[in-house]
Amino acid sequence: MNSECRWLSFRLPDDFVDSYRDQTPPFGFDGLGELVFYRTYSRLKKDGSKESFLDVVRRCVEGAYSLQKDHILVHHLGWNEEKAIQSAKLMFDHIFHMRFLPAGRGLWMMGTEYAHTKTPMGLFNCAFVCTEDIEESLEESFTFLMDVSMLGVGCGFSTKGAGKLSVRKPVGIEKRWVVEDSREGWVESTGALIRSYIHPVENPIYEFDYSKLRGAGTLIQGFGGVAAGPEPLLRLHEQIRDLFDERLLDGRATLDSRLITDIMNLMGECVVAGNIRRTAELALGEPEDEEFLDLKNYELNPERKNFGRFSNNSVFASVGMDYQPLAERSISNGEPGYIWLDTIQKYGRMIDPPNYKDSNAKGCNPCVEQSLESYEVCNLVEIFPSNIKDKSEFLEVVKCAYLYGKSVTLVKTHKEVTNRVQLRNRRIGLSLSGLALFRESRGTHTMVEWMDQGYEKVQYYDGVYSKWLAIPHSIKTTSVKPSGTISLVAGTTAGIHYPEGQYYFKNLRLSTHSPLVRWARESGYKIEPEIRYVQDEDGKWVSQPGDETVVVSLPVHFDTEIRSRGEVSIWEQMKLVELAQKYWADNQVSCTVTFREHEEKEVVRVLEMFDRDVKNACFFRYCSGDYPQMPEEPITKDEYDSYVQTLRPQALEPYLNEEAIGEQGCSNDTCMV
């Protein structure tokens, strides 16, 4: 037994784990899944070697059962070690064979000392904060988003606080603020600056001292990453001051939706620039707020182009509204997305009667698969039906996946307001991923049958285990997340989406300093500098090769014949969302519905036809191959075969000496709703 993991109270027997050492993990896509796993989720051990997949599975299972055991023992509820070991062995087997996986946050953080003893918030995928009570919370809405973003938790926010606070010029004696070299130091100093402009009484002039902040290139202990020095925080403070001062000069002395969104997005830019975490945000605004709707119109607002990309922008829609004006914008640039909050608050699954369990929900996470109250966080688990042999095994996997998710709800974060919601709601998100592949291979009827019976089984187990743990039933339990790199590890399609084709290139981005670039080069893979867009001297946006990131093209194919997303009509995609919302997801189904040029007029009709049956929607013009270095680039079978013949794959082990990059909240750097 590994004595290094002293923070874990539960351990699997060594001989059981050792029995899997000769088994090869079923990584997906001929090595791509293995590469993604080692790049993203395999942590460095104390001896400098990388975790194997077996190590990570053990860490995750032992971490989840340690959370259960600690909870049971603290509350004197009676722990049965032998029964727990048998249950944990079953969970271990299902994860090892990739029938289900913890979401990226879990694979990366569960079972680590950092998550279990220092900042458990890092175990959660996503969060939401509503600005509706900003008159009382003041800067707290902003600092909450910055705080969780620095821990890699994707965060949505609303602009409900627009118009509720006046903006004032700081006055009085200048106060010196020494910024502490910590996450808290960054967050608290930024909060103080915002408060100085919006608090009706306390608004001193702050002069920040950044001398304590570590220099660029210093390792960030515990959570990983390399410090970028004080520059990103200094720039954020300057930008926030400029935003407020420009408002006052223009005579607009009100905190409006644009100012709220600008500050939140600039925080996201700071987190990324500080090399602390990647980030994802969702901005939720009102459908009649023209300024909010134009925030991503960079012809009108060119100054936002550098930081506006850090959030998806959606609106609070209402059933039966006139969708035409908004749909024209969605057709043009993919935003806004649509969220029917009244429906979210009223329903679990759409096939079930209204239950109003989620009446306090205020918004969603950045990818919209989880409805959330203000300051609430959520955790996600991914089940892969296409990797499961039959319905009986599926229902067994559902039990293990549920138990993993429920275990995470036992965590207490460093945020009291978050703990209060968490203790009450115990919300989880058991997600089905690879639904397109499953449907194509086994049919729609089987898919619906598994979803419906699987959901009922989740509710049964929630009753059993909530009683055992002596905690409330989970307010909601199921969703469909967009997935991301996790689906690559497992070798299936992402979420409910269809792939780019039966054959395609997956364009993977790597730091130029990563030893995996040398692995890719020596293996014969195509490598290009990442194309970035920058402003020239005339202010025009032009493309140029980057010098920090390269794009590696890895070939992908499906053994099962499957249509590309460009071959599936807008109506069929939306019907799939409806079926999943009816029979599986009591939270939401995250899906970006793509449309071809001849389907532009269908967007309004689809919204009118489905707004009573779904909780959210987002549309994006199908643009396969329209831009260089797209995440997925379709190719023919001949192109695939020709490319594969040129490869000379090298073993990964000699190149595995860097820390995992981890994964931000939901799935990717930015979520598509």
Side-chain angles (χ1 to χ4, degrees), residues 12 16-17 20 54 57-58 61 87-97:
L12 283 162
F16 169 77
V17 177
Y20 284 77
L54 188 70
V57 176
R58 181 176 195 170
V61 174
S87 174
K89 286 180 177 180
L90 185 62
M91 181 185 287
F92 184 100
D93 188 74
H94 286 319
I95 295 178
F96 184 86
H97 290 101

Side-chain angles (χ1 to χ4, degrees), residues 183-466:
R183 185 186 79 255
E184 293 84 356
W186 284 48
V187 172
E188 289 168 5
S189 62
T190 304
L193 176 60
I194 295 170
R195 186 182 182 89
S196 71
Y197 278 91
I198 62 176
H199 196 281
V201 179
E202 300 174 12
N203 52 342
I205 301 170
Y206 285 112
E207 180 66 30
F208 293 108
D209 180 343
Y210 306 95
S211 61
K212 282 192 175 183
L213 299 187
R214 70 196 73 185
T218 308
L219 291 177
I220 301 174
Q221 298 298 323
F223 212 71
V226 178
E231 177 59 31
L233 182 62
L234 189 154
R235 185 168 62 249
L236 173 65
H237 289 167
E238 290 178 345
Q239 290 170 322
I240 290 175
R241 277 199 177 97
D242 289 344
L243 286 177
F244 281 120
D245 290 344
E246 287 168 7
R247 262 324 141 83
L248 292 168
L249 284 173
D250 291 343
R252 299 172 62 186
T254 304
L255 189 72
D256 58 15
S257 62
R258 169 158 183 173
L259 189 51
I260 291 172
T261 307
D262 281 355
I263 293 172
M264 297 292 200
N265 289 173
L266 284 169
M267 287 176 170
E269 181 187 42
C270 173
V271 169
V272 172
N275 290 336
I276 304 159
R277 290 293 104 202
R278 294 174 293 158
T279 188
E281 297 177 3
L282 170 76
L284 269 174
E286 303 300 329
E288 65 277 2
D289 186 344
E290 290 290 329
E291 186 169 36
F292 176 83
L293 295 173
D294 283 332
L295 287 178
K296 291 237 182 133
N297 184 332
Y298 298 127
E299 292 183 3
L300 289 176
N301 302 299
E303 69 281 1
R304 297 194 80 256
K305 192 174 182 73
N306 284 327
F307 61 86
R309 62 189 173 91
F310 286 103
S311 68
N312 299 312
N313 293 355
S314 295
V315 296
F316 292 106
S318 57
V319 173
M321 67 184 290
D322 179 9
Y323 294 107
Q324 185 65 47
L326 294 173
E328 290 176 0
R329 293 175 180 270
S330 299
I331 292 167
S332 174
N333 61 20
E335 292 190 354
Y338 306 81
I339 294 173
W340 290 275
L341 184 61
D342 288 347
T343 306
I344 285 172
Q345 294 172 335
K346 185 176 181 180
Y347 288 94
R349 293 193 308 172
M350 293 303 293
I351 198 172
D352 297 327
N355 57 32
Y356 296 95
K357 288 182 179 180
D358 217 3
S359 59
N360 292 322
K362 297 295 184 182
C364 306
N365 69 315
C367 296
V368 194
E369 72 270 22
Q370 294 290 100
S371 47
L372 297 167
E373 295 185 28
S374 191
Y375 302 106
E376 187 176 11
V377 293
C378 65
N379 70 91
L380 300 165
V381 188
E382 290 195 51
I383 302 169
F384 306 104
S386 56
N387 290 354
I388 297 172
K389 66 181 179 182
D390 55 33
K391 186 172 66 176
S392 175
E393 185 176 72
F394 172 70
L395 297 178
E396 187 179 78
V397 171
V398 162
K399 174 185 177 180
C400 293
Y402 158 80
L403 190 53
Y404 178 92
K406 193 73 169 186
S407 300
V408 178
T409 72
L410 302 174
V411 163
K412 292 178 178 60
T413 75
H414 64 289
K415 291 286 189 182
E416 294 177 359
V417 64
T418 295
N419 293 336
R420 186 171 293 277
V421 184
Q422 171 84 348
L423 288 168
R424 182 176 69 246
N425 287 353
R426 305 286 177 173
R427 189 189 306 270
I428 57 178
L430 301 185
S431 175
L432 298 182
S433 204
L435 283 174
L437 185 62
F438 183 82
R439 180 192 177 219
E440 293 286 305
S441 61
R442 305 200 205 185
T444 302
H445 176 77
T446 300
M447 180 187 73
V448 170
E449 180 185 8
W450 284 31
M451 288 193 296
D452 192 29
Q453 294 187 25
Y455 180 80
E456 295 301 329
K457 190 63 71 172
V458 171
Q459 305 319 301
Y460 168 76
Y461 287 122
D462 193 41
V464 171
Y465 285 104
S466 296

Side-chain angles (χ1 to χ4, degrees), residues 75 85 96 139 220 255 283 317-318 346 401 406 429 501 517 530-531 577 581 584 606:
H75 295 283
I85 287 174
F96 184 86
E139 78 278 8
I220 301 174
L255 189 72
S318 57
K346 185 176 181 180
K406 193 73 169 186
V517 175
E530 182 185 35
I531 296 175
V577 174
Q581 191 71 78
W584 176 258
V606 165

